[in-house]
Amino acid sequence: MRDVAIVSFATTGPLPAVDDTETQMLFPVISEAIERSGIPRADIGFTCSGSADYLAGTPFAFVGNLEAVGAWPPISESHVDMDGAWAMYEAWVRLQHGDVDVALAFSSGISSRSDLREVLCLQNDPYYLMPLWADHGSLAGLQARAVAEAGLVDEVVDTVAAPPASDGAAAVIMVAGDRAREVCERPAWIRGIEHRSDPHYIGVRDLADVPSAQVAAAAAGVGGGPIDLAELSAAHPHEEVLLRRAMGLADLVEVNAGADPLMVAGLAHIGAAATAIHEGRAGRTLGHAASGPCLQQNLVCVMEGTP
Amino acid sequence: MAEDTATEDPGAPVRFMPQLIGLDYTIKTNPVAAAFGAALADGRITGHRCPSCQRVYAPPKGFCPICVVPTGEADLVEVADRGLVTSWTVLTPIQYAGQKEREDYALASILLDGADGTIGQQRLVDVPLDEIRMGLRVEAVWAPPDERVADDRGYGLGSAVSGWRPTGEPDAPPSAYQEHTL
Ligand SMILES: [Zn+2]
């Protein structure tokens, strides 16, 4: 494996409801991440983005978003209909090929223009759950109840009344090998990055457990040393409880949890975990991303400050 | 698919089922597009000139995607409501519910004087379809002021310009449009 590090990160943070287009919202964030890295834009060998056009209802918005990248002369790029953490994973794989040294991963989400309880129904299976319009808040409620009945929490929090989702964007620059050491005093070296998925159909899952998070965390090497800071994509308190148990982080004090904005939260958590290393506040951190209903898919990235 | 279901034994297991999905969205007009729309209502076509490469984008984007620099009100320029045809398509309308077109008509990409990119899907008027050509010089036929509705996402010209008619000037030379054809 090639040593790859995150050397810079930028994000809007959660925004209440932007007037800008997704591209306009991304524009300063991508530029800021590139400028912070100190690497010329032309040196970026691979670009990968994560977003979902269903959120803002703008077909092919992900193509238009490339206008915020600087895609002329033509660049090598790809897109995932996932949280930007998965775009970052693809960029990490691309850097493992060895022929390019610098990658940009970014993501964006505008959730304020639709009813997420309707839109996210479309990620359910089309035969059993989709026709019921079983929305993500209701499904999270089922999981909260399962977690309570398993005795893992004392009370069930109302998941359907969760606050409306926000908009936002995030970007990271990833660099391989010596180039990372040249541009960054304390690169956040990716020591392990894995993602796994639990079954698509909720009915066959034990909702009081997240095996995919457990397997991803183990494969990413979470248990190989103490974690100073864990950044978790958890939309509800019971999700944080489940993730802590699955990843062996039950007693960790430094945990930052939250899953907002959609499509951005995972990459933003990983970026925040990397920034803690850049700034010397932590030596070994964990960034996590989730996707799908009830923590169906989980990505875990372990980073260290020591080369 | 519907025929298959119709001929099936009603007691047989379900093989097909209709699933109608509708999603409602709020459309927001971004500030750059809103300013462009206000100018259109006023009978003006505006753009942003990139401070780096000097290219003029009409409609404006709020940035230059080639130089990757932001643009704003300081970069605002007015472009002409006349230009030339770079390419076009003749459409033959098929009649279906809601179709208002009855005759063949042409939509063109227009390169406006003072702009560096074309505006697509612009209706050509007052010209026989077999006389349309690259380099044909045209001018805007503005809709009445109260009918000038901009596109709510800032694409194209909305209903502000009802069509483009030939000016009668000599055609522009190929050098004027060779960088703007597909
Ligand atoms: Zn420019």
Side-chain angles (χ1 to χ4, degrees):
Chain A
M1 286 292 174
R2 275 184 112 192
D3 285 339
V4 171
I6 293 176
V7 301
S8 75
F9 166 59
T11 182
T12 58
L15 304 171
V18 294
D19 289 333
D20 285 346
T21 65
E22 207 162 315
T23 313
Q24 289 167 342
M25 178 177 68
L26 270 166
F27 194 92
V29 175
I30 292 173
S31 290
E32 185 182 338
I34 294 172
E35 280 161 23
R36 275 191 190 164
S37 76
I39 295 174
R41 198 180 284 262
D43 285 9
I44 297 170
F46 183 68
T47 296
C48 196
S49 60
S51 67
D53 292 355
Y54 273 99
L55 297 186
T58 312
F60 292 96
F62 73 99
V63 178
N65 289 344
L66 283 172
E67 293 206 322
V69 172
W72 183 267
I75 60 170
S76 170
E77 62 84 27
S78 179
H79 173 263
V80 294
D81 251 73
M82 298 284 283
D83 185 293
W86 275 266
M88 181 225 157
Y89 183 89
E90 181 174 336
W92 177 81
V93 171
R94 184 65 186 82
L95 288 172
Q96 294 303 325
H97 289 201
D99 57 326
V100 295
D101 296 332
V102 182
L104 160 68
F106 66 91
S107 68
S108 52
I110 291 183
S111 301
S112 61
R113 297 177 197 173
S114 61
D115 182 347
L116 275 187
R117 289 172 304 171
E118 287 184 351
V119 174
L120 291 185
C121 277
L122 303 184
Q123 68 183 347
N124 293 330
D125 82 84
Y127 307 108
Y128 299 104
L129 281 181
M130 174 56 226
L132 297 177
W133 291 94
D135 67 80
H136 68 299
S138 302
L139 294 176
L142 290 178
Q143 187 163 41
R145 175 170 293 274
V147 170
E149 286 175 355
L152 306 180
V153 294
D154 295 330
E155 57 171 337
V156 177
V157 179
D158 181 359
T159 54
V160 179
S166 62
D167 306 334
V172 297
I173 298 292
M174 305 160 72
V175 184
D178 290 338
R179 185 93 194 259
R181 296 179 189 93
E182 287 167 17
V183 300
C184 186
E185 200 172 322
R186 272 175 64 87
W189 296 101
I190 296 166
R191 287 289 167 247
I193 179 168
E194 295 284 346
H195 64 97
R196 294 289 192 275
S197 178
D198 282 314
H200 191 188
Y201 184 53
I202 301 277
V204 302
R205 289 176 54 188
D206 171 7
L207 291 180
D209 195 9
V210 196
S212 60
Q214 185 178 352
V215 175
V222 172
I227 296 284
D228 301 324
L229 165 70
E231 289 274 347
L232 303 181
S233 292
H236 308 285
H238 72 269
E239 292 188 352
E240 182 183 341
V241 170
L242 285 171
L243 290 170
R244 278 173 172 267
R245 283 171 57 88
M247 297 187 196
L249 305 170
D251 301 321
L252 185 63
V253 176
E254 293 294 328
V255 171
N256 187 23
D260 213 24
L262 203 66
M263 312 311 286
V264 176
L267 183 62
H269 278 299
I270 292 171
T275 302
I277 291 175
H278 297 159
E279 296 176 351
R281 289 183 280 116
R284 191 166 189 266
T285 64
L286 177 159
H288 162 263
S291 182
C294 300
L295 299 172
Q296 184 209 359
Q297 301 166 64
N298 292 277
L299 182 150
V300 180
C301 179
V302 174
M303 289 163 282
E304 293 177 2
T306 49
Chain B
M1 197 183 277
E3 285 160 30
D4 282 1
T5 10
T7 56
E8 265 179 30
D9 172 4
V14 174
R15 290 178 59 212
F16 301 100
M17 61 184 194
Q19 187 166 306
L20 302 176
I21 295 170
L23 297 173
D24 293 323
Y25 290 95
T26 301
I27 303 295
K28 277 200 178 175
T29 303
N30 69 80
V32 174
F36 178 74
L40 278 183
D42 202 23
R44 296 179 295 117
I45 302 174
T46 54
H48 283 184
R49 183 189 302 278
C50 171
S52 173
C53 70
Q54 311 302 318
R55 284 184 179 88
V56 171
Y57 295 89
K61 298 167 180 283
F63 55 84
C64 172
I66 294 177
C67 302
V68 209
V69 296
T71 61
E73 279 178 26
D75 308 302
L76 194 72
V77 293
E78 203 158 313
V79 300
D81 61 350
R82 50 202 291 136
L84 57 91
V85 171
T86 62
S87 64
W88 76 97
T89 301
V90 172
L91 293 93
T92 299
I94 292 172
Q95 298 309 315
Y96 52 81
Q99 169 66 277
K100 296 192 180 98
E101 303 289 349
R102 290 291 180 272
E103 306 291 332
D104 288 8
Y105 65 102
L107 295 179
S109 291
I110 311 280
L111 180 63
L112 298 177
D113 293 350
D116 286 290
T118 56
I119 297 185
Q121 303 196 30
Q122 298 300 304
R123 184 96 175 213
L124 295 180
V125 296
D126 297 341
V127 57
L129 296 177
D130 60 0
E131 290 180 20
I132 299 170
R133 55 208 182 264
M134 295 162 89
L136 177 68
R137 293 204 54 88
V138 292
E139 62 187 1
V141 180
W142 287 88
D146 58 346
E147 291 174 22
R148 293 173 194 165
V149 180
D151 180 87
D152 49 18
R153 298 192 204 229
Y155 305 145
L157 301 173
S159 64
V161 171
S162 51
W164 300 81
R165 68 179 165 228
T167 64
E169 297 163 275
D171 286 1
S175 60
Y177 54 82
Q178 63 189 9
E179 296 295 324
H180 299 277
T181 56
L182 294 174

